[in-house]
Amino acid sequence: MADERSHTVWERLEPVARNEDLQGTLRGELADPLWLLSRQRQFGEFAGEDAGSPVEVAVEYYHDHVDHVEVGSATDPYDPKTDPPVETLVEREPVAAEADDGREAPNHALRAEAGMNVLDRLRRAVDADSGPPLPEPDWFEAAYHLDRPDVADGPARRFADVFDGEDDPATPRGLDGHAVYGKLTEAAPGVADSGTTTDWLGVSDPVDVLFTDGAPDVAKSLFKGVAKGFAEWYAGLFDEPSETEDAWDPARMEYSAAVSAGTGTGRTTLEAREYEGGRLDWYDFESTNRSLVDEDGDSTDSGSENPHSLSELPTNTRFRGMPASRLWEMEDADVDLASMTAAGDDLSRLFMLEFALIAGDDWFSLPIEAPVGSVTRVSTLSVTDTFDKTTADIPATVNRSDAAEWDMFTFDLPNHDEPGLFLPPVLGTSQSGEVIEEVLYGRDEMANLVFGLESTVEGALGDPLDREEFRAPSLGIEELHTADDALSGQAAADDEAVVLANEGDDVLVVGTGGDADSHWELRVEDPDAANGTTTVDIPPLTIPAEGSVRVVSGTGVDTDEEVHLDRSAPLLGDGDVVSVYKPVPADEGSSSNGDSGPEMGLVAVEPVDPETLGDLRQYKLANEVADHWFPYLPVNDGLPQRLELGLLLDADALSGTLDMVPEPMGRILNPEASIYAEEVSRTGRRVTRSFQASAWLDGRSHVWSSREVGPGRGEVSSGLRFDFLEDEEA
């Protein structure tokens, strides 16, 4: 049998490197130079220009340093090496100090922390001197004990229960450090200034005011030694402005500030008039002829230091996605400019693509170091190319007077011939806390009003409090219990009761007597009788959040759940109407109807026998609007038109008194300030407040409270209606 296997044989040439010298390989020698010439022609390398590449650039420039900052009505010297960033100076507002509008700025958590700091410093001093007993809050007068917050949600109430010594008022458990700080600064105004000593002689002695007579003498003698350290610590917690350093414009809902650089006739002023918060940068400023500083001396001062000079080899400008300059170089695929598409009228994108793909390698750069907080001006510029040709007096920028020319990043400086590059002393990045206050401005076209919706405010512990969920304490009638028909006299009074309820999320304190703020009355009116109205003072009681208290007409032992009016006869009868009133003294002792006596504020009405209404529909003059909706009403004081916070005549306002009308709980809605109507468009505005933290050039940390303005959420609907029957609303 024949062998059918196939045998294939071939020869192969394999290069073998026997020389360790790689010079020939690196030269990339070609056997066909004509092919290389043809490729050069295809790539347009032979279409040269009569020009050379720059090999040396000589530049002369000036740095005008920022030395003054205007914030609010105050213009102060400024040094970016030691002072906070301009962003902090512009945005900061009172936090640990008292607010300018009279409302207490510090929250209760900060007050408690400051109080513990006072006690801790005093305890260490006392322990080092004589040992126990250690300082306690009851060593201080009652005015410096931590009180309960005016408005508190669940966490704040639990916080107050721990610190206010409610179980044993004689031994309070919390000290108000803010109140102590206020007394110290009142006695010695410079006590909070770091690097100084406080001379307690000749000032009112805070020790006798702060401490009780029962406080040990050792604590009084050592307190002045620790007061200085505490005051400096408390004053350094936050960056806060002085009374004249308020850059916020409530009418425009924006910040306004200015900086000044240079000296003499060459001084430059840059203003940021419409800064809305968030991040301050060069584009928020614009140059102006206004002068911030009145200087004496030589009026011929150019306003600049000696010029700086630089002569270096420029480098090609590089950017991501730039085409490679070498034929066989692999390009970076992170940015693929060739894949970008643009319509014929998309001029900005077409311009960018043409620059990047065609003219990108025609640009050279020579970096100049500019200090933070300066205006840099290039006075002279000359370029020497590869042909040893020097071109002098080159403008640093284009001719800005020519409408066909344009540039970026520079400012026209009124007192200089050349433009300037402004490097503001602002933050690159900062850490932002959660929003602790938010106000939405919107137009309600159906009600023909502008509303400010205070959706979030700072709570008693410094955390955000949602006003849509939190309800302010209010008094109402939950239930009526009439006496059994078989009973009479004292027995009937003991069987009769009115259940008062608090529908809010905070405790409601009801008092009587001389306390007008908590004085409430119970009224029983017989519509069939000419003088059938009986008024009874509601006894002192405390109604917990979303809780109720039973008010019995008769006698008995008062408890937290039940109080008694000590009457010997019942109050309620069939057909009577029971109302809860809060009497408020009217101006000059007369009521709104001209009669002498108090102004009566109707809060809640409940018929004793609801069945008497039958199927009758109840008339409503107005419906209710949520308490955190605040209307803005137009003010006739010329143009442009302004809006001011006004009184919303809804059901709550029409049935109550002025002191019962809801007021803003935060800082953004300022009852004393008006806003321009043009600032609230159909889109609306959103203003938030939060804390910022960052470090600066000197290594110090800065913490401040700031605001930020942005677009709103469109039109709003309050649902406000007037003059309707109740079932129609449903």
Side-chain angles (χ1 to χ4, degrees), residues 217-361:
D217 294 336
V218 63
K220 297 179 181 180
S221 61
L222 296 174
F223 179 73
K224 291 181 179 179
V226 303
K228 175 70 175 175
F230 163 72
E232 292 182 1
W233 170 83
Y234 189 77
L237 287 176
F238 302 95
D239 284 78
E240 302 184 73
S242 64
E243 295 182 357
T244 58
E245 295 176 336
D246 186 6
W248 178 255
D249 182 4
R252 294 292 185 185
M253 291 183 283
E254 61 195 19
Y255 292 103
S256 178
V259 299
S260 180
T263 58
T265 58
R267 181 171 288 278
T268 299
T269 299
L270 297 164
E271 292 183 341
R273 289 195 292 258
E274 299 180 359
Y275 173 52
E276 296 184 340
R279 185 175 186 271
L280 185 65
D281 212 333
W282 66 271
Y283 43 76
D284 293 302
F285 292 85
E286 60 183 14
S287 59
T288 178
N289 289 320
R290 186 169 66 93
S291 177
L292 296 184
V293 183
D294 295 330
E295 293 181 311
D296 298 329
D298 187 5
S299 60
T300 62
D301 186 358
S302 64
S304 304
E305 57 186 15
N306 295 328
H308 302 269
S309 60
L310 181 66
S311 180
E312 296 288 346
L313 172 68
T315 59
N316 289 91
T317 301
R318 306 294 300 176
F319 52 86
R320 295 185 61 184
M322 182 176 180
S325 59
R326 296 180 59 185
L327 180 62
W328 304 113
E329 181 180 351
M330 300 298 293
E331 297 181 351
D332 185 5
D334 290 342
V335 179
D336 187 6
L337 296 176
S339 64
M340 295 181 60
T341 59
D345 56 352
D346 194 351
L347 299 182
S348 60
R349 183 172 297 187
L350 290 173
F351 169 79
M352 190 271 292
L353 288 175
E354 182 177 354
F355 170 82
L357 298 176
I358 299 177
D361 58 349

Side-chain angles (χ1 to χ4, degrees), residues 513-526:
D515 189 1
D517 292 336
S518 59
H519 182 197
W520 300 78
E521 294 180 354
L522 189 67
R523 277 190 158 194
V524 180
E525 183 177 1
D526 183 0

Side-chain angles (χ1 to χ4, degrees), residues 116-439:
M116 289 187 290
N117 187 280
V118 174
L119 295 175
D120 182 62
R121 292 174 182 270
L122 190 57
R123 285 167 182 164
R124 282 182 288 175
V126 171
D127 183 57
D129 184 78
S130 60
L134 297 180
E136 297 293 342
D138 58 354
W139 287 10
F140 292 81
E141 292 288 350
Y144 304 97
H145 296 165
L146 192 66
D147 57 356
R148 298 186 68 90
D150 295 335
V151 178
D153 55 355
R157 290 197 303 272
R158 292 189 291 271
F159 175 89
D161 292 340
V162 172
F163 276 94
D164 66 358
E166 188 178 54
D167 297 335
D168 187 3
T171 57
R173 304 171 64 182
L175 180 66
D176 189 346
H178 172 72
V180 175
Y181 173 80
K183 190 60 184 178
L184 291 176
T185 54
E186 178 185 347
V191 68
D193 298 336
S194 60
T196 62
T197 58
T198 301
D199 184 8
W200 295 100
L201 299 177
V203 299
S204 58
D205 192 349
V207 173
D208 296 336
V209 179
L210 291 172
F211 288 91
T212 62
D213 295 337
D217 294 336
V218 63
K220 297 179 181 180
S221 61
L222 296 174
F223 179 73
K224 291 181 179 179
V226 303
K228 175 70 175 175
F230 163 72
E232 292 182 1
W233 170 83
Y234 189 77
L237 287 176
F238 302 95
D239 284 78
E240 302 184 73
S242 64
E243 295 182 357
T244 58
E245 295 176 336
D246 186 6
W248 178 255
D249 182 4
R252 294 292 185 185
M253 291 183 283
E254 61 195 19
Y255 292 103
S256 178
V259 299
S260 180
T263 58
T265 58
R267 181 171 288 278
T268 299
T269 299
L270 297 164
E271 292 183 341
R273 289 195 292 258
E274 299 180 359
Y275 173 52
E276 296 184 340
R279 185 175 186 271
L280 185 65
D281 212 333
W282 66 271
Y283 43 76
D284 293 302
F285 292 85
E286 60 183 14
S287 59
T288 178
N289 289 320
R290 186 169 66 93
S291 177
L292 296 184
V293 183
D294 295 330
E295 293 181 311
D296 298 329
D298 187 5
S299 60
T300 62
D301 186 358
S302 64
S304 304
E305 57 186 15
N306 295 328
H308 302 269
S309 60
L310 181 66
S311 180
E312 296 288 346
L313 172 68
T315 59
N316 289 91
T317 301
R318 306 294 300 176
F319 52 86
R320 295 185 61 184
M322 182 176 180
S325 59
R326 296 180 59 185
L327 180 62
W328 304 113
E329 181 180 351
M330 300 298 293
E331 297 181 351
D332 185 5
D334 290 342
V335 179
D336 187 6
L337 296 176
S339 64
M340 295 181 60
T341 59
D345 56 352
D346 194 351
L347 299 182
S348 60
R349 183 172 297 187
L350 290 173
F351 169 79
M352 190 271 292
L353 288 175
E354 182 177 354
F355 170 82
L357 298 176
I358 299 177
D361 58 349
D362 294 338
W363 292 84
F364 294 82
S365 62
L366 179 67
I368 296 177
E369 292 187 3
V372 174
S374 66
V375 179
T376 301
R377 298 177 289 108
V378 177
S379 57
T380 61
L381 176 66
S382 62
V383 178
T384 302
D385 59 23
T386 52
F387 298 104
D388 198 22
K389 180 181 178 181
T390 300
T391 305
D393 299 328
I394 300 177
T397 59
V398 299
N399 183 8
R400 299 168 67 92
S401 62
D402 188 352
E405 301 287 350
W406 62 275
D407 67 349
M408 297 178 64
F409 308 115
T410 59
F411 292 90
D412 284 328
L413 306 181
N415 298 325
H416 296 282
D417 296 332
E418 60 276 349
L421 176 70
F422 180 42
L423 186 60
V426 296
L427 297 170
T429 58
S430 63
Q431 292 182 339
S432 300
E434 61 180 336
V435 174
I436 60 174
E437 185 173 352
E438 179 185 32
V439 173

Side-chain angles (χ1 to χ4, degrees), residues 581-640:
Y581 277 84
K582 183 178 182 182
V584 180
D587 295 338
E588 300 179 0
S590 61
S591 62
S592 58
N593 57 11
D595 299 332
S596 61
E599 183 82 22
M600 305 304 294
L602 177 63
V603 176
V605 179
E606 185 75 17
V608 173
D609 186 9
E611 295 181 357
T612 58
L613 295 177
D615 297 331
L616 297 178
R617 294 179 296 179
Q618 187 174 358
Y619 171 75
K620 291 284 187 178
L621 184 58
N623 64 339
E624 298 179 1
V625 176
D627 290 345
H628 64 282
W629 286 60
F630 298 94
Y632 277 86
L633 307 179
V635 180
N636 187 17
D637 60 351
L639 297 176

